[in-house]
């Protein structure tokens, strides 16, 4: 059963948490209802006892009654009835007392504590979410500023290219045209934010703040020897006093920090001393600069210049108007005010674009840290709230038991009522109520949404997590991203270090704390680091957990969400309408629509898990739990809703990939071989939208075509056309169809697991002959990754012609007999002396079909070695 930590996630975090805390507030109201029932029952029992207790005094006030007939039988009956009334009053008083002592008092105190726990948890998460949302808005603003700067730079560069052209190239009739000055388009920049202390002010808020400061802070004149008198000055002590009074500066140091920000932003400057440090001192004077008066609109006080007929004497030199005028001119002349002298407008635009890029990149990193911290705290709070809710349900169960006991222990005559109450108490099932709440109110699983850094020019950079899979693989020049390859290789090497098959299987089901996973994620997020060295520092379950987190943080699931409805249709079909063989064929066709990087990565991951299941003899329960864990990592719907949360199509897809991996991926490899022999593969589904550069190049070409006519001479530029087979499909990564001369063996299959010996079937004689003819003409356009065959298998027959075959050579997993454990022969894989990892891979790949029965010793099997070749199909 999923818990709170797996059930109340939404992309904006707040919606799912709002549903959960709404239910928790409903639980608080339910506690009050139970408490109200107990309190009012105690009050009713108290009132009932009081009324019964009034019977005996009332009848005693009647004189001349049973008091005179002391020995009569009627008197005894009367005395017995009167005594029963008194006893009944005592019993009901005891019931009321027991209810208050056993139920009302302790349960009311517990309810207050529970409500405080829920409210505190809600407030803490709400503050974190607001901080994350604020940082996200800042990232959007900085991204907009950065893109605007880059657009201005590109437009200026384009205008510079088109500004100075000869008359011959400007018109086909060689008519001179007057020069035209093209100015770059003015781009409205968003107002920059100013940070004072721990708060960020917009331009309007800054204007209000400075206006209030100029009106309330005492300003005067400051006389400085030699330099003269400075207008509009305030002491540091006056400024600090204002900041503590109006800006809630809790300490002098914090007020000084705000004052330093005013100096750094050009609103204040220190006069009479060297430097620009702000301090809480009555002897240090600070002049309000013209920038503050320009923003607020308050007129600036300036001392007028005056002419004098003679120089002032040395005695009154400090008050001399000439010295004051000169000092004022010198004060206004600041030759070092420009930190970038001799800077051209183009260089200035480039510098501003770089600075905007750095600010945007830093904001994205801070947002990513805030997101990770927010998710960690959400999981901690959700688990704590789950325990609190379970305790609340158990407390209600205990309260009902105590409530019924408080009555049943006093009045045995109410046994039927007590029996019903005990029956109600037995029907309360805390775990069942918790499961009902999760099934009806959960909002989604844990799928983090990463705000990745977007480079304006489409470069992925050194970030790994949250980046499109194809973009990351292209940057790594690999079919499978280097991170996935290194993690799977690391796990293969360390499986023998674990004690027993149970420990090897348990690493994928271990509940790793999210903080530990994020710690390793942050260490691996830079693609320039040595993954192997970093992974050695962490425990194996943490490494497995970071691979699942990497798949969850992809912008789109490994099996694209665009085929989710197709897969849903496949598994929604009843068993009578389709067979297992037909379902596998449809899955092959559906997965064939994915990008080659997604297929290769999925193949590598499935190969790893099927080997783990096979070599550790995993039972059905483990396979089911593993598929349930991997389901959201492999296939997710585009938008999760209440309908998709209860669907198990992803789980069934994983089970089919486990059971029919060789059939599914073998067919995909065969299709790739067919593509290599001249057939066309439909363009894969792509989710990468970073086509800004291509759009800008198309725009530039359109501008150039409008500004000048096409040359009548034929263009010498080579134009690359898209190759088609007449069916309308196209292949994004063309496959090399040329056969290597001299009997050389073709390269490995692009979709196979790197390092495996699985080979794809070669084409028949006629098709291969045609491909050799096409290779001579299209050799420059064929830049894909070709398939590989066994190194020992002959490529040609005895007459030099290709040897036709219809079935692929069996993979090593099909040839080597199944082992019940990784430790059947000594507990570890043993390496052959003198053989490196590369030589072992080559040796495994050289086993041909004629030598399949001659197997190496059992101890020499090392497992799958992931060795991804570079991807050369860049365009």
């Amino acid at each position: 059963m999923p818990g709170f930590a797996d059930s109340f996630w939404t992309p904006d975090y707040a919606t799912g948490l709002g549903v959960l805390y709404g239910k928790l507030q409903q639980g608080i109201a339910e506690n009050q209802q139970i408490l109200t029932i107990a309190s009012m029952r105690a009050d009713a029992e108290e009132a009932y006892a009081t009324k019964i207790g009034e019977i005996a005094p009332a009848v005693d006030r009647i004189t001349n009654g049973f008091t005179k007939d002391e020995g009569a039988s009627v008197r005894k009956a009367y005395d017995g009835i009167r005594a029963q009334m008194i006893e009944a009053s005592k019993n009901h008083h005891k019931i009321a007392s027991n209810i208050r002592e056993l139920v009302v008092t302790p349960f009311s105190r517990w309810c207050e504590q529970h409500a405080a726990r829920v409210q505190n948890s809600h407030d803490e998460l709400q503050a974190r979410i607001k901080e994350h949302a604020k940082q996200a808005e800042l990232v959007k603003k900085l991204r907009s500023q950065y893109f605007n700067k880059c657009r201005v730079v590109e437009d200026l560069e384009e205008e510079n290219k088109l500004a100075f052209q000869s008359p011959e190239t400007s018109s086909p009739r060689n008519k001179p045209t007057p020069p035209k000055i093209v100015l770059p388009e003015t781009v409205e920049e968003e107002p920059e934010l100013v940070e004072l202390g721990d708060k960020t002010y917009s331009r309007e808020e800054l204007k209000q703040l400075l206006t209030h400061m100029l009106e309330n802070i005492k300003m005067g004149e400051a006389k400085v020897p030699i330099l003269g008198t400075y207008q509009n000055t305030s002491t540091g002590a006056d400024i600090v006093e204002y900041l503590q009074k109006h800006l809630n500066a809790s300490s002098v140091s914090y007020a000084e920090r705000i004052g330093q920000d005013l100096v750094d932003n050009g609103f204040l400057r220190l006069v009479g001393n060297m430097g620009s440090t702000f301090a809480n001192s009555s002897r240090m004077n600070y002049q309000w600069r013209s920038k503050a008066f320009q923003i607020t609109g308050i007129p600036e006080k300036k001392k007028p210049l005056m002419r004098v007929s003679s120089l002032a004497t040395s005695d009154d030199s400090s008050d001399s108007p000439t010295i004051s005028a000169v000092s004022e001119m010198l004060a206004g002349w600041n030759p070092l005010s420009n930190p970038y002298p001799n800077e051209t407008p183009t260089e200035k635009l480039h510098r501003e674009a770089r600075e905007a890029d750095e600010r945007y990149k830093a904001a994205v990193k801070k947002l990513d840290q805030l997101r990770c911290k927010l998710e960690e705290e959400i999981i901690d709070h959700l688990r704590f709230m789950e325990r609190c809710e379970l305790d609340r349900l158990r407390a209600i169960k205990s309260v009902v038991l105590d409530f019924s006991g408080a009555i049943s222990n006093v009045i045995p005559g109410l046994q039927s009522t007590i029996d019903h109450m005990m029956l109600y108490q037995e029907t309360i099932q805390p775990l069942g109520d918790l499961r009902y709440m999760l099934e009806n109110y959960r909002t989604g699983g844990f799928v983090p949404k990463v705000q990745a850094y977007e480079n304006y020019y489409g470069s992925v950079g050194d970030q790994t997590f949250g980046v499109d899979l194809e973009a990351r693989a292209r940057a790594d020049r690999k079919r499978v991203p280097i991170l996935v390859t290194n993690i799977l290789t690391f796990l293969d090497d360390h499986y023998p270090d674990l004690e027993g098959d149970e420990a090897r299987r348990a690493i994928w089901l271990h509940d790793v704390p999210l903080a530990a996973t994020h710690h390793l994620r942050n260490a691996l997020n830079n693609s320039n680091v040595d993954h192997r060295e970093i992974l050695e520092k962490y425990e194996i379950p943490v490494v497995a957990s970071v691979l699942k987190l990497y798949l969850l943080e992809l912008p789109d699931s490994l099996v694209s969400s665009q085929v989710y409805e197709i897969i849903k249709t496949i598994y929604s079909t009843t068993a009578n309408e389709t067979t297992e063989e037909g379902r596998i064929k449809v899955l092959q066709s559906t997965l064939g629509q994915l990008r080659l990087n997604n297929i290769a990565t999925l193949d590598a991951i499935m190969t790893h898990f099927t080997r783990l299941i096979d070599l550790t003899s995993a039972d059905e329960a483990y396979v089911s739990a593993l598929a349930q864990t991997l389901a959201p990592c492999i296939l997710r719907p585009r938008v999760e809703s209440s309908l998709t949360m209860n669907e198990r199509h992803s789980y069934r897809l994983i089970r089919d990939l486990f059971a029919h991996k060789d059939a599914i991926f073998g067919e995909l490899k065969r299709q790739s071989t067919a593509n290599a022999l001249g057939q066309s593969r439909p363009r894969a589904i792509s989710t990468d939208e970073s086509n800004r550069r291509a759009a800008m190049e198309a725009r530039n070409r359109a501008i150039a075509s409008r500004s000048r006519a096409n040359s009548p001479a034929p263009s010498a530029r080579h134009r690359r056309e898209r190759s088609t087979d007449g069916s309308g499909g196209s292949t994004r990564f063309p496959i090399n169809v040329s056969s290597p001369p001299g009997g050389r063996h073709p390269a490995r299959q692009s979709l196979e697991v790197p390092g495996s010996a699985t080979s794809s079937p070669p084409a028949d004689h006629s098709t291969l002959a045609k491909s050799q003819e096409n290779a001579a003409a299209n050799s420059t356009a064929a830049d894909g990754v070709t398939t590989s065959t066994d190194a020992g298998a002959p490529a040609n027959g005895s007459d030099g012609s290709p040897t036709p075959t219809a079935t692929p050579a069996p993979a090593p997993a099909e040839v080597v007999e199944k082992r019940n454990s990784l430790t059947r022969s000594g507990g570890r894989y043993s390496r052959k002396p003198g053989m490196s990892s590369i030589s072992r891979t080559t040796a495994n790949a050289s086993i041909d079909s004629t030598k399949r029965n001659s197997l190496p010793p059992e101890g020499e099997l090392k497992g799958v070695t992931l060795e991804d070749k570079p991807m050369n199909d860049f365009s």
Side-chain angles (χ1 to χ4, degrees), residues 469-505:
L469 183 70
E470 183 182 30
R472 181 67 266 166
R474 185 176 298 175
D476 293 341
R477 304 186 69 86
K478 302 288 184 180
R479 278 295 181 203
V480 180
I482 291 179
L483 177 67
V484 178
T485 303
N486 290 341
I487 290 178
L488 294 179
T489 305
F490 174 83
L491 293 175
D492 275 334
D493 294 341
H494 285 74
Y495 278 138
D497 299 337
L498 300 176
E499 296 295 336
D501 295 339
E502 187 67 25
R504 298 183 184 101
R505 294 193 297 263

Side-chain angles (χ1 to χ4, degrees), residues 492 495 501-502 504-505 508 605-620 622-623 626 657-662 811-824 829 858 861 863-864:
D492 275 334
Y495 278 138
D501 295 339
E502 187 67 25
R504 298 183 184 101
R505 294 193 297 263
W508 292 102
I605 293 174
M606 288 299 112
T607 300
H608 181 91
F609 285 114
T610 51
R611 283 180 54 82
L612 176 65
I613 294 171
D614 188 29
L615 295 178
T616 59
S617 301
D619 55 2
E620 176 64 22
Y622 175 78
V623 175
L626 180 62
L657 291 177
F658 283 166
H660 308 283
K661 173 197 157 311
D662 295 334
E814 301 172 357
V815 176
V816 182
E817 64 180 7
K818 179 178 178 181
R819 282 152 177 79
N820 293 329
S821 171
L822 291 171
T823 59
R824 296 291 191 260
Y829 288 122
E858 186 179 24
L861 289 177
V864 176

Side-chain angles (χ1 to χ4, degrees), residues 155-184:
D155 293 340
L156 181 60
E157 291 176 353
E158 202 62 31
E159 297 296 344
N160 291 335
K161 292 180 182 178
L162 303 177
F164 304 98
Q165 297 181 358
S166 61
E168 291 78 11
T169 60
S170 61
S171 173
R173 299 181 181 180
N174 296 332
K175 291 184 178 181
T177 57
K180 182 179 179 181
I181 300 176
V182 180
L183 298 177

Side-chain angles (χ1 to χ4, degrees), residues 13 64 81 138 354 422 506 545 837 874:
Y13 298 107
N64 299 327
I81 294 173
L138 180 60
R354 288 193 302 271
M422 293 297 293
S545 177
S837 61
F874 284 81

Side-chain angles (χ1 to χ4, degrees), residues 3-9 13 17 20-21 121 125 371-387 446-448 511-515 517-518 549:
F4 282 6
D6 301 325
S7 304
F8 294 98
W9 294 91
Y13 298 107
L17 293 178
L20 172 62
Y21 282 96
S121 175
L125 290 183
R371 180 189 60 80
C372 293
K373 188 65 177 177
L374 173 61
E375 292 174 354
E376 295 170 10
E377 292 194 4
I378 286 177
I379 287 183
D380 293 338
H381 280 268
L382 290 183
R383 289 176 176 172
F384 177 67
M385 287 296 102
E386 183 176 1
R387 293 195 300 269
F446 174 59
V447 180
D511 187 10
V512 179
L514 188 60
T517 307
H518 277 162
L549 181 64

Side-chain angles (χ1 to χ4, degrees), residues 333-504:
W333 179 60
N334 184 9
L336 300 179
S337 60
N338 182 17
Y340 304 98
N342 302 325
E343 186 181 42
T344 63
T346 302
E347 294 174 349
K348 180 180 179 182
L349 291 176
H350 281 284
R351 175 179 56 80
E352 292 177 350
R354 288 193 302 271
E355 294 174 353
D357 186 17
E358 293 298 328
R359 291 194 300 269
Y360 169 48
K361 186 181 297 183
V364 170
K365 290 182 179 179
K366 183 177 179 182
L367 176 62
D368 192 66
Q369 294 174 358
L370 289 177
R371 180 189 60 80
C372 293
K373 188 65 177 177
L374 173 61
E375 292 174 354
E376 295 170 10
E377 292 194 4
I378 286 177
I379 287 183
D380 293 338
H381 280 268
L382 290 183
R383 289 176 176 172
F384 177 67
M385 287 296 102
E386 183 176 1
R387 293 195 300 269
C388 291
E389 182 65 11
L390 190 58
D391 290 342
R392 185 188 73 84
L393 297 173
R394 289 173 177 169
I396 291 179
K397 183 180 179 70
S398 177
V399 163
V400 174
L401 179 62
D402 294 339
F403 183 65
S404 60
I407 300 174
S408 63
N409 293 336
V410 178
I411 306 178
L414 299 176
Q415 192 61 43
S416 61
T417 304
I418 303 306
D419 291 341
H420 286 91
M421 295 179 66
M422 293 297 293
L423 179 61
Y424 299 149
Q425 183 265 341
E426 289 294 336
T427 58
I428 297 177
Q429 298 180 0
L431 290 177
D433 291 350
L434 193 62
R435 182 182 295 107
Y436 171 81
M437 177 179 176
L438 290 172
E439 291 176 352
N440 291 274
Y441 294 98
R442 60 180 306 199
T443 59
F446 174 59
V447 180
K449 301 297 181 183
V450 180
Q451 180 72 40
Y453 163 73
E454 300 177 25
N455 188 274
Y456 178 78
Y457 301 100
S459 174
V460 175
D462 55 0
Q463 56 185 348
T464 301
F465 287 80
V467 181
D468 182 74
L469 183 70
E470 183 182 30
R472 181 67 266 166
R474 185 176 298 175
D476 293 341
R477 304 186 69 86
K478 302 288 184 180
R479 278 295 181 203
V480 180
I482 291 179
L483 177 67
V484 178
T485 303
N486 290 341
I487 290 178
L488 294 179
T489 305
F490 174 83
L491 293 175
D492 275 334
D493 294 341
H494 285 74
Y495 278 138
D497 299 337
L498 300 176
E499 296 295 336
D501 295 339
E502 187 67 25
R504 298 183 184 101

